[in-house]
Amino acid sequence: MAKTTTSTQGLRTAIERSGYYPSLVADAVESTIGTEHVDAFLVHQETTFDSNEVRRHVTVLVLTPGRFLVSHTDEHAPDDTSPTPYATTSTETVRIDRIESVVVSRVVGNPAEYVPGAPPREVVLTIGWGAVGRIDLEPAGCADPNCDVDHGYTGAMTADDLSLRVSEAADGPDAVERTLAFARRLSEAIAGSAGPSGSGR
């Protein structure tokens, strides 16, 4: 489930509609937003299956004039630390001018028949601001197939602080559209924070 709009009341309504500990999630998010205006938001709930357990996770993304807020809430079964089920909530705020990348990956069925403007069937939104990076390494080589010299390793480092997958099949077509709309608003905010010279940092 994904929701986006442009008001604090709309944000609370979307959290309540998700049905996932709404009072807990709303309290954590709203206390972090404070008195700032909400320009856009996205509420995304995921359900995963771990052995015989069903686990739920909700992510709330909020865009204000100067900040990007990320909130995660997870539920946990009783364990050695707690005799009853419990939930954990974390919030992180990032200045808009600290966001380094917004990557939108789209999956489209029957690409030969694609019509401009048609929504994709799946979207993966990846946002990076430098807090978490991923390094992918592989052995380096050369063009000579008979070469047995050790060329060391080659790789790429990718910012991967947040990644959300939203699909038409699991979340509905509206969720896909709202994810794309949030990505556009965030990209526009980043471009605006850079200023005319393109260097807002």
Side-chain angles (χ1 to χ4, degrees):
M1 176 183 297
K3 301 288 184 181
T4 184
T5 190
T6 57
S7 71
T8 303
Q9 183 57 46
L11 171 58
R12 174 172 276 275
T13 299
I15 292 173
E16 290 174 350
R17 285 179 179 169
S18 76
Y20 185 87
Y21 306 122
S23 296
L24 172 64
V25 175
D27 186 53
V29 172
E30 291 174 356
S31 64
T32 305
I33 294 172
T35 59
E36 281 196 275
H37 175 72
V38 174
D39 288 338
F41 69 80
L42 187 69
V43 178
H44 182 251
Q45 181 179 315
E46 297 174 273
T47 301
T48 58
F49 299 91
D50 184 9
S51 298
N52 295 325
E53 296 182 0
V54 178
R55 297 181 183 274
R56 295 183 298 168
H57 173 91
V58 67
T59 301
V60 180
L61 310 181
V62 180
L63 179 63
T64 73
R67 295 188 298 163
F68 170 63
L69 164 68
V70 183
S71 175
H72 296 287
T73 302
D74 291 279
E75 62 182 358
H76 307 273
D79 55 27
D80 294 340
T81 66
S82 175
T84 60
Y86 62 100
T88 57
T89 300
S90 65
T91 57
E92 180 177 3
T93 57
V94 183
R95 291 200 326 266
I96 294 299
D97 63 3
R98 297 293 300 170
I99 296 179
E100 299 175 350
S101 65
V102 177
V103 181
V104 179
S105 301
R106 306 166 189 242
V107 177
V108 177
N110 298 317
E113 301 175 7
Y114 177 76
V115 177
R121 70 183 188 192
E122 181 179 313
V123 170
V124 178
L125 173 61
T126 304
I127 305 170
W129 54 90
V132 178
R134 184 181 72 248
I135 299 177
D136 297 317
L137 294 176
E138 61 182 21
C142 67
D144 183 357
N146 298 316
C147 178
D148 58 2
V149 175
D150 183 356
H151 293 280
Y153 289 86
T154 184
M157 185 171 68
T158 307
D160 193 16
D161 295 289
L162 175 74
S163 185
L164 285 182
R165 176 181 174 271
V166 181
S167 69
E168 182 180 28
D171 307 291
D174 288 346
V176 173
E177 289 287 352
R178 288 166 178 154
T179 302
L180 291 171
F182 182 84
R184 284 194 296 269
R185 292 292 300 274
L186 182 58
S187 296
E188 290 168 359
I190 294 170
S193 71
S197 65
S199 57
R201 286 176 172 78

